[in-house]
Amino acid sequence: MFLIGLRGLINLGNTCFMNCIVQALTHTPLLRDFFLSDRHKCEMQSPSSCLVCEMSTLFQEQFYSGHRSPHIPYRLLHLVWTHARHLAGYEQQDAHEFLIAALDVLHRHCKGDDNGKKANNPNHCNCIIDQIFTGGLQSDVTCQVCHGVSTTIDPFWDISLDLPGSSTPFWPLSPGSDGSVVNGESHVSGTTTLTDCLRRFTRPEHLGSSAKIKCSGCHSYQESTKQLTMKKLPIVACFHLKRFEHSAKLRRKITTYVSFPLELDMTPFMASSKESRMNGQYQQPADSLNNDNKYSLFAVVNHQGTLESGHYTSFIRQHKDQWFKCDDAIITKASIKDVLDSEGYLLFYHKQFLEYE
């Protein structure tokens, strides 16, 4: 199987967690364009210690050079160990943790690429990582006495979503009990959907008497509700399904199947859609044809096995409907059904109006 841009990565000893994230990043359209057009201006004393320079080399000389043999990413691994020491060593690491660490190091090493324009994201940084991955999460805390609202907006690179089967209660009411269909997902015999997880993430949560917050209107500690919504959507939305549960009592993997769509409309979860919500449910307004909030799936990272003994693979979209499975050095053609039937650990979506082949 050979296509420009597709190349296997050798496993250097439990490094499948890194390989699957590298595959997702190298197939992120705007990131690919940045690296292939040589726009990085390195400001580090030694370019050999710069992760952005190494990624540029990876894109230009490895993935898009026409080489057919699998690449050995030893320099990349060494740089990650150097700049994110908590990931050093040959133990199996968490792919989600590696993604966040890689974005953080790339963000720090991209400082010289700021083009002087005012940053249009909540991280107040104009580097290519923040341009693509940073969104703004709005938190509204409402006092239950005077109904005053305190609002904060925080940057995010990914959204972590609770799943049914975890020790956190998932539903205040049964899944899909409103009978609605959002994002083309209807409920088949109680199957949980990505939309369900997003509804749960953005529903109002009562903080209770043990978590009273000082209300600026009442000038005293009061019970309140908290609600998270999307203030600003990133170009690439990454959803982390929280399959690994670590607590004082147990460590386990949650294998609940979550159905996720090829196309995702984030309009129901925007801060601007809050007024049209009732009890965590969403009534679709007739004029909700806002293409700015529509996304296409382009990469899925999966974890097979248990917490102690597992393996990461990824599905990558190469063209509009061409999908491939990346299993370290081995790349095989995959069907859309293979992708959508997979368990899903990290889901990568790209804004449709900025997407091109």
Side-chain angles (χ1 to χ4, degrees):
M1 176 63 56
F2 176 69
L3 277 169
I4 289 283
L6 274 177
R7 196 171 179 195
L9 293 165
I10 297 288
N11 190 320
L12 299 171
N14 285 326
T15 57
C16 54
F17 70 92
M18 176 180 79
N19 290 349
C20 63
I21 296 301
V22 169
Q23 292 288 2
L25 292 178
T26 49
H27 289 87
T28 301
L30 291 179
L31 199 59
R32 174 191 65 203
D33 295 348
F34 173 83
F35 283 118
L36 291 181
S37 59
D38 222 7
R39 278 154 50 198
H40 172 55
K41 303 175 191 70
C42 188
E43 288 194 343
M44 295 188 70
Q45 288 180 334
S46 168
S48 63
S49 66
C50 175
L51 188 62
V52 187
C53 289
E54 176 56 27
M55 285 294 280
S56 291
T57 303
L58 201 66
F59 272 85
Q60 294 172 18
E61 295 178 16
Q62 311 304 336
F63 276 82
Y64 293 93
S65 63
H67 288 301
R68 290 172 183 247
S69 60
H71 173 59
I72 306 169
Y74 63 91
R75 281 208 318 239
L76 183 72
L77 183 66
H78 173 70
L79 281 174
V80 169
W81 284 1
T82 303
H83 297 292
R85 295 198 175 276
H86 62 292
L87 295 175
Y90 285 103
E91 300 85 29
Q92 176 67 275
Q93 302 287 351
D94 181 355
H96 172 247
E97 200 175 338
F98 177 81
L99 169 67
I100 299 305
L103 292 179
D104 179 56
V105 176
L106 288 167
H107 156 75
R108 286 189 276 126
H109 291 188
C110 268
K111 291 295 187 188
D113 300 329
D114 193 319
N115 56 18
K117 290 183 191 167
K118 188 173 183 293
N120 185 28
N121 65 68
N123 223 14
H124 307 299
C125 175
N126 227 1
C127 78
I128 191 65
I129 298 303
D130 282 310
Q131 284 182 46
I132 294 173
F133 292 95
T134 297
L137 192 63
Q138 179 168 319
S139 170
D140 293 313
V141 176
T142 306
C143 172
Q144 292 299 281
V145 176
C146 71
H147 302 292
V149 181
S150 168
T151 298
T152 54
I153 295 164
D154 293 306
F156 69 86
W157 278 334
D158 71 315
I159 296 287
S160 291
L161 299 168
D162 288 316
L163 302 181
S166 73
S167 54
T168 312
F170 190 79
W171 283 110
L173 31 95
S174 60
S177 61
D178 62 334
S180 64
V181 176
V182 178
N183 286 315
E185 300 172 325
S186 59
H187 288 272
V188 183
S189 63
T191 300
T192 303
T193 68
L194 177 61
T195 298
D196 290 336
C197 297
L198 285 164
R199 276 179 172 156
R200 185 193 184 283
F201 183 79
T202 56
R203 75 176 185 208
E205 175 194 1
H206 185 64
L207 296 179
S209 57
S210 60
K212 287 185 177 180
I213 288 172
K214 188 160 189 181
C215 172
S216 56
C218 299
H219 304 293
S220 61
Y221 286 90
Q222 303 289 1
E223 289 192 28
S224 56
T225 58
K226 178 181 177 182
Q227 184 171 14
L228 299 173
T229 48
M230 310 293 158
K231 178 66 176 174
K232 184 181 190 309
L233 291 171
I235 290 171
V236 167
C238 174
F239 299 106
H240 163 228
L241 304 184
K242 289 160 76 172
R243 295 202 173 276
F244 303 125
E245 190 164 55
H246 303 274
S247 68
K249 292 180 181 173
L250 79 167
R251 290 178 72 250
R252 65 187 181 120
K253 182 182 174 186
I254 298 161
T255 55
T256 307
Y257 174 69
V258 176
S259 148
F260 50 91
L262 284 172
E263 299 195 335
L264 178 69
D265 183 359
M266 288 294 287
T267 306
F269 313 109
M270 298 297 291
S272 54
S273 298
K274 249 178 80 170
E275 285 66 38
S276 55
R277 286 169 170 277
M278 300 287 286
N279 188 30
Q281 304 300 325
Y282 175 69
Q283 281 70 43
Q284 190 107 0
D287 62 347
S288 71
L289 296 170
N290 186 353
N291 287 324
D292 279 9
N293 301 336
K294 293 195 172 143
Y295 286 81
S296 294
L297 184 72
F298 73 92
V300 177
V301 169
N302 283 296
H303 178 271
Q304 289 87 31
T306 62
L307 271 177
E308 288 70 33
S309 170
H311 180 60
Y312 287 102
T313 59
S314 56
F315 287 110
I316 299 297
R317 199 188 73 182
Q318 179 75 351
H319 296 294
K320 189 68 184 156
D321 290 317
Q322 270 196 311
W323 285 86
F324 295 89
K325 183 177 182 179
C326 303
D327 185 349
D328 289 330
I330 301 162
I331 293 184
T332 50
K333 204 161 180 15
S335 68
I336 290 174
K337 186 178 186 306
D338 293 334
V339 177
L340 297 182
D341 285 352
S342 69
E343 193 175 77
Y345 178 50
L346 300 173
L347 310 174
F348 292 83
Y349 285 86
H350 197 289
K351 271 197 176 181
Q352 286 182 356
F353 80 98
L354 272 169
E355 194 174 39
Y356 48 90
E357 301 301 337

